[in-house]
Amino acid sequence: MAGAATSAIKSVLTRHLHASPGSKKIVGVFYKANEYAALNPNFVGCVEGALGIRDWLESQGHQYIVTDDKEGPNSELEKHIPDLHVLITTPFHPAYVTAERIKKAKNLQLLLTAGIGSDHIDLPAAAAAGLTVAEVTGSNVVSVAEDELMRILILVRNFLPGYHQAISGEWNVAAIAHRAYDLEGKTVGTVGAGRIGKLLLQRLKPFNCNLLYHDRLKMDPELENQIGAKFEEDLDAMLPKCDIIVINTPLTDKTRGLFDKDRIAKCKKGVLIVNNARGAIMDTQAVADACSSGHVAGYSGDVWFPQPAPKDHPWRYMPNHAMTPHISGTTIDAQLRYAAGTKDMLERYFKGEEFPSQNYIVKEGKLASQYQ
């Protein structure tokens, strides 16, 4: 009896390896491009572009439904939850895959993230249900690291007030210069030094900064020496040393709300913070309050919670911010990479083949190490 039960559990946990025969219902949730869709033939990451895989999927007899309508019991996504086999989501317009939705999705086998970061999915619930969750690891690391470097410079040089003067017909050099600095010689610390964090540190090296990093894993000594970055085991000890802090850690149960009022207070007065990781790593009101008081001299990022951010989100109105919608990882180049990676995993799924090991976030009931 015990052997039969074990066999049954194993069959649930390994069902991702082989797509059941016949037509699949695949649903993709992306942002809508509207009038911008036709302006670039490589704009594939939107509803209209549909990752460029519609003809390929339909030619094989699969049903492919794409929508941007993702919230609430009457949304387009909700209508398809009970009978979809594959759900493709994206961090830029996240479809929140809750335990409740997973329970309703009786045919669901595979959750794919077109991009990096699968925290919009209830990963423990997905693991318990025997689902496979995978993302296109590495697809937009360059895009995000470049964007972080841009945001650092925008904050350090006090760029935005100058831009606003230019478009409003003003000219007041002093209003900009009194809090504009060089990046050279500043101490920059990254909280998290995975693929994006390492790339950012490499790109910062020519600026002659003092580079620090905090991570659960120490870098390879040769790479660490090449970049010139120093490992900081204790996050709270690193923060007061930093003129600029960049958030590069995944959103997990441990990092949710990591930067609350108390932790922000440990940062140097006048610190600049860049966060392209996840909005929920920060305490929303604590960030707004710290920007208002001047303890945080500037905050920039493209991630919010929830997304899309409501019109009354405090970060829209706090002083000295350089926020944007979630755009850093969805450049046209990144879209082409994560579209190709998504297609590759779908092909493997249809054939019953394994995915590249680094793409798995949930496999056979186990979460990837960064989410544990």
Side-chain angles (χ1 to χ4, degrees), residues 113 115-119 121 123-124 133-139 141 191-196 198 215-217 248-256 258 277-278 281 356-363 366-372:
T113 298
I116 303 172
S118 299
D119 48 87
I121 298 165
L123 297 175
V133 182
E135 58 190 43
V136 191
T137 298
S139 59
V141 293
V191 182
R195 291 176 175 87
I196 295 169
K198 287 188 183 80
D215 197 274
R216 60 194 176 88
L217 299 172
N248 275 311
T249 188
L251 177 62
T252 67
D253 289 341
K254 288 182 180 177
T255 63
R256 188 178 300 275
L258 179 66
R278 287 296 181 265
I281 293 170
S357 59
Q358 69 270 20
N359 288 10
Y360 285 108
I361 302 301
V362 175
K363 180 184 181 186
K366 292 181 182 176
L367 274 65
S369 59
Q370 67 265 38
Y371 285 102
Q372 289 177 8

Side-chain angles (χ1 to χ4, degrees), residues 117-299:
S118 299
D119 48 87
H120 54 283
I121 298 165
D122 186 325
L123 297 175
L131 302 177
T132 295
V133 182
E135 58 190 43
V136 191
T137 298
S139 59
N140 54 18
V141 293
V142 169
S143 315
V144 176
E146 285 184 358
D147 188 273
E148 288 176 342
L149 179 55
M150 175 189 73
R151 290 174 193 275
I152 290 170
L153 288 166
I154 282 171
L155 292 178
V156 168
R157 302 308 293 262
N158 203 24
F159 174 83
L160 277 179
Y163 169 73
H164 290 308
Q165 283 188 26
I167 61 174
S168 63
E170 298 175 33
W171 189 279
N172 186 345
V173 173
I176 305 158
H178 79 284
R179 59 196 307 272
Y181 298 88
D182 295 343
L183 180 53
E184 184 174 61
K186 302 300 182 290
T187 297
V188 184
T190 176
V191 182
R195 291 176 175 87
I196 295 169
K198 287 188 183 80
L199 276 180
L200 174 66
L201 291 170
Q202 288 172 325
R203 280 154 177 72
L204 282 168
K205 185 180 179 183
F207 287 88
N208 297 320
C209 301
N210 180 27
L211 301 176
L212 308 176
Y213 74 97
H214 168 78
D215 197 274
R216 60 194 176 88
L217 299 172
K218 204 170 184 295
M219 252 185 241
D220 175 76
E222 188 177 341
L223 179 61
E224 187 180 75
N225 186 56
Q226 177 195 330
I227 295 172
K230 182 187 171 194
F231 177 65
E232 294 278 344
E233 188 172 0
D234 185 340
L235 173 61
D236 290 336
M238 180 181 86
L239 295 179
K241 302 174 185 176
C242 297
D243 302 301
I244 301 152
I245 294 166
V246 187
I247 312 300
N248 275 311
T249 188
L251 177 62
T252 67
D253 289 341
K254 288 182 180 177
T255 63
R256 188 178 300 275
L258 179 66
F259 277 78
D260 56 12
K261 181 180 178 180
D262 293 339
R263 184 154 274 117
I264 291 171
K266 293 175 183 177
C267 299
K268 182 186 291 189
K269 181 173 170 54
V271 70
L272 303 174
I273 299 177
V274 171
N275 178 16
N276 279 6
R278 287 296 181 265
I281 293 170
M282 317 301 287
D283 179 313
T284 298
Q285 194 57 51
V287 170
D289 291 345
C291 284
S292 296
S293 73
H295 188 78
V296 172
Y299 184 91

